Amino acid sequence: MKTFTILGAGWLGLELAIRLKDKYKVKVSLRNEEKVNIYTNLAFSSYILNEYNLSYLDELLDTNYLFINYPPSKFDDYLGFLEKIYKHEKILNIEKIIFISSTSIYPNIEGFFNEDFIIKNPTKKNVFDGENIALNKSNIIFRVSALLGENRVAGFRLANKIVDFPKTKINFVHRNDVINATLFSIENDINGIFNLSSFQHPTKEELYSFNADKYSFDRPIFLENNGSINRIIDGSKIEKLGFNYEYFDAFNF
């Protein structure tokens, strides 16, 4: 049985681990002790790994497949942490490395963005810099739009809060489609950079209001200000290789 390591087993990583556990020996990394017992009880080999504790990095990188998913905002030195992972000697022996980036790498300007767009002014520079560290040593880079699905409901955390530019269109992808794309990339041995984003782009006001009514939480307070920027992410490149998004209607998640 081959081994699959997930660095960053949070909301996305845990669900991926559950999907993989019947086919692979799954190793997961956690940033602290809080969830170790939960993951161990699910039959995953669980290890603490963070920017201050790299004791188990050698063990975690002894694997066939590697999935790296770390939100930059969770680190004091995100780039330094990534450098330590990618400079480890075992990184070169891994069959396939999948790095999760973000569509916030594209600039915050009006436009339609695919993987061919030359990025000079990213919305989030740490995402851009992190992807550049991963670029030459990763087989797959997924630039993921806002993750939705299951218990993550668009607009819920914005109940009774002010939302600017309500006519702005949203880029999103269902968590299960990111997992499906990961499995697809391994099963079909594909490589490259891919946006993962649904072709549906509702406005903030449309989706947040719909979910507020559906799930009985208060609607956000929409400021009717002008100047909405419609920054549309094209997630179709991976479809041309045979992948099909399963979840595309955010109103029926």
Side-chain angles (χ1 to χ4, degrees), residues 2-195:
K2 290 190 173 183
T3 302
F4 199 116
T5 292
I6 299 171
L7 298 186
W11 186 74
L12 170 61
L14 173 58
E15 190 64 24
L16 173 61
I18 291 169
R19 288 276 296 275
L20 294 170
K21 67 178 184 179
D22 292 335
K23 188 173 181 180
Y24 298 95
K25 176 186 176 183
V26 179
K27 300 179 184 180
V28 299
S29 83
L30 306 164
R31 290 190 302 114
N32 52 57
E33 296 280 354
E34 184 180 351
K35 294 182 179 179
V36 168
N37 289 337
I38 296 173
Y39 285 71
T40 301
N41 289 339
L42 289 169
F44 306 133
S45 300
S46 305
Y47 304 87
I48 300 298
L49 182 71
N50 56 52
E51 58 194 313
Y52 306 110
N53 184 353
L54 299 166
S55 303
Y56 295 107
L57 183 58
D58 189 75
E59 173 63 28
L60 285 160
L61 296 185
D62 185 11
T63 189
N64 301 102
Y65 302 105
L66 178 64
F67 180 91
I68 303 175
N69 178 34
Y70 286 117
S73 60
K74 301 291 186 181
F75 293 85
D76 294 326
D77 184 8
Y78 169 68
L79 300 179
F81 181 61
L82 284 184
E83 288 275 13
K84 290 171 183 174
I85 293 171
Y86 278 98
K87 286 182 176 178
H88 194 283
E89 60 183 11
K90 285 189 176 179
I91 207 82
L92 297 175
N93 298 325
I94 298 173
E95 290 181 37
K96 189 174 287 288
I97 300 173
I98 298 162
F99 180 80
I100 301 298
S101 183
S102 166
T103 54
S104 62
I105 197 170
Y106 295 111
N108 189 31
I109 58 175
E110 188 92 11
F112 186 80
F113 299 95
N114 62 27
E115 298 83 350
D116 293 328
F117 182 85
I118 297 172
I119 300 165
K120 295 180 179 177
N121 297 297
T123 300
K124 294 186 178 179
K125 190 173 184 303
N126 55 1
V127 172
F128 178 80
D129 291 340
E131 186 174 300
N132 280 334
I133 291 171
L135 188 59
N136 293 324
K137 292 183 178 178
S138 298
N139 305 94
I140 291 282
I141 292 178
F142 285 136
R143 294 173 177 167
V144 177
S145 287
L147 277 166
L148 299 177
E150 303 305 325
N151 60 344
R152 188 173 288 188
V153 177
F156 177 75
R157 293 184 178 180
L158 297 168
N160 273 326
K161 294 181 180 178
I162 293 173
V163 171
D164 284 317
F165 308 113
K167 305 302 182 187
T168 298
K169 293 183 178 180
I170 297 170
N171 299 289
F172 68 88
V173 65
H174 196 287
R175 175 176 67 178
N176 287 352
D177 277 326
V178 178
I179 293 171
N180 291 340
T182 298
L183 301 179
F184 177 84
S185 72
I186 293 171
E187 291 163 3
N188 294 278
D189 193 25
I190 66 170
N191 300 293
I193 298 174
F194 299 91
N195 295 334

